[in-house]
Amino acid sequence: MLHRVAALSLALTLSVLLLALTALPEEPLPFPVGTALAADEPDDEGAIDEEIAAEGSEADETASEPVPSDGADGAAETEDALQTETGSPVPETLTVLLPDGTVEEMELEDYLWGVVAAEMPAAFESEALKAQAVAARTYTCYQTAREKSAHPEADVCTDYSCCQAWMSREDRLAAWDEDKEEEYAAKITAAVNATAGEILTWEGEAALTVFHAASADTTRSALDVWGTDLPYLTSVSSPESEADTPNYYSVVSFSAQEFSALFLAAYPDADLSGDCSGWFGAAETDGSGAVLSVSVGGVEVTGSELRTLCSLRSPHFEVECGTDTVTFYVTGYGHGVGMSQYGANTMAAAGSSYQEILAHYYPGTVLEGSAPD
């Protein structure tokens, strides 16, 4: 397998840091998720914190990825809500729980500047940034229509594991290289302004526009990942590749003793005696090739659970057991549902508009709103 050789140099540097912040347990919807959440979104030249910075100035991962929380099903309408033609609420302002614990009221478009700046590298193509702006705005509308017990005092928060990543303009400018500040800030502003008021709807309601960093040839369906069928979150092709996606292939390796200790701490009923070559059964995969479940030491675990436990970048992995090693060969980054950010950037570089990108990754949704001509 050629990509294994190409990926070996990445082995241990990616093993523990990367995915504690991006794993998504398989749970039914509805769930208030961060949109690539996050998470599953690439970050460039400075990040929200050191963990995200480890994902790199080369934009190898998302700052947020969907993580289920406790949100209720109810729809909370705001007094200043605007209405699209189908009646889906697009708030003019919203309340935001900031990292310091304070709550601030913001204009929606000002808030979105901080989301797009945190969620996607400003070095990406302009049409990809516009697609991100629409996805973020749509997800915000989805969130504000659902009361969240995690922060009932605010519509949204800045925790990527709950809502969406967000950075203040000051922090974002400080994190960029000085010679790029003006250019990058202008690109983010242009993406938000060019799509102002636009959201994606499904049957008249804001769609659940989750996203992730990079797919492995195709995206995954919400049905396969979370057990709920959302027709616009289905599996579609995605054009990114090793050539345009940093760390598209990665390797995580353990000694047999390390893996045994790690796995047994989480699953004490597993039998990991004998040679490690007999520990793993045949994996069940979905249509995209992601692992749905696999038997390890006689215990059935999901691909998402094993991904989290072993800090793998995605559930698209193969396992190889050597004499005394357990090695995971991983493709892509993120849960794989919805828009692939690197895929969107590849499409934009090839000439696709943001409308075409959104229609591809969220098929059947309707783009509504009042973007300027």
Side-chain angles (χ1 to χ4, degrees), residues 268-290:
D269 293 335
D271 179 7
L272 298 184
S273 59
D275 193 287
C276 64
S277 61
W279 292 353
F280 290 83
E284 178 188 0
T285 60
D286 63 18
S288 74

Side-chain angles (χ1 to χ4, degrees), residues 96 139 181 196 199 213 235 324:
V96 182
Y139 182 71
E181 289 178 11
I199 66 169
S235 180
D324 190 39

Side-chain angles (χ1 to χ4, degrees), residues 94-306:
L94 70 165
T95 52
V96 182
L97 177 62
L98 298 175
D100 63 4
T102 62
V103 175
E104 181 177 334
E105 184 173 13
M106 297 184 190
E107 296 289 330
L108 173 62
E109 302 305 313
D110 290 340
Y111 164 74
L112 288 172
W113 194 98
V115 173
V116 176
E119 295 282 23
M120 179 175 274
F124 271 24
E125 298 286 335
S126 294
E127 294 301 301
L129 288 165
K130 292 176 188 177
Q132 183 69 58
V134 175
R137 185 181 295 106
T138 303
Y139 182 71
T140 301
C141 293
Y142 180 92
Q143 286 282 63
T144 56
R146 286 156 177 80
E147 188 175 317
K148 299 188 70 174
S149 63
H151 45 76
E153 73 279 22
D155 296 316
V156 294
C157 70
T158 59
D159 180 357
Y160 62 81
S161 68
C162 181
C163 295
Q164 297 182 99
W166 177 88
M167 294 183 76
S168 70
R169 190 177 294 263
E170 293 76 14
D171 288 346
R172 181 69 277 190
L173 290 173
W176 282 325
D177 286 346
E178 187 174 351
D179 62 347
K180 291 290 186 180
E181 289 178 11
E182 185 175 343
E183 174 192 349
Y184 284 173
K187 286 182 70 176
I188 299 295
T189 299
V192 173
N193 289 347
T195 63
E198 290 190 334
I199 66 169
L200 294 174
T201 64
W202 175 262
E203 297 182 346
E205 301 294 333
L208 180 62
T209 47
V210 294
F211 51 87
H212 59 284
S215 295
D217 296 328
T218 59
T219 66
R220 303 180 69 195
S221 72
L223 181 62
D224 283 337
V225 178
W226 299 311
T228 297
D229 186 16
L230 295 177
Y232 58 88
L233 292 180
T234 188
S235 180
V236 299
S237 62
S238 197
E240 70 272 40
S241 67
E242 184 179 16
D244 50 31
T245 307
N247 299 326
Y248 186 65
Y249 297 119
S250 57
V251 176
V252 177
S253 188
F254 302 89
S255 71
Q257 183 178 2
E258 289 171 338
F259 180 82
S260 176
L262 181 68
F263 194 83
L264 289 174
Y267 303 96
D269 293 335
D271 179 7
L272 298 184
S273 59
D275 193 287
C276 64
S277 61
W279 292 353
F280 290 83
E284 178 188 0
T285 60
D286 63 18
S288 74
V291 174
L292 291 174
S293 65
V294 61
S295 176
V296 183
V299 174
E300 197 78 9
V301 296
T302 68
S304 293
E305 290 168 341
L306 196 55

Side-chain angles (χ1 to χ4, degrees), residues 1 15 60 71 213 261 354:
M1 196 162 84
S15 61
D60 56 336
Y354 77 93

Side-chain angles (χ1 to χ4, degrees), residues 290-359:
V291 174
L292 291 174
S293 65
V294 61
S295 176
V296 183
V299 174
E300 197 78 9
V301 296
T302 68
S304 293
E305 290 168 341
L306 196 55
R307 175 195 174 198
T308 301
L309 183 68
C310 297
S311 299
L312 310 180
R313 289 168 62 87
S314 93
H316 287 84
F317 59 81
E318 296 179 13
V319 186
E320 182 175 88
C321 296
T323 304
D324 190 39
T325 59
V326 176
T327 303
F328 295 88
Y329 297 93
V330 188
T331 304
Y333 200 169
H335 52 70
V337 184
M339 184 176 72
S340 163
Q341 293 177 305
Y342 275 98
N345 197 49
T346 301
M347 289 182 67
S352 294
S353 67
Y354 77 93
Q355 296 96 329
E356 291 170 329
I357 293 168
L358 293 168

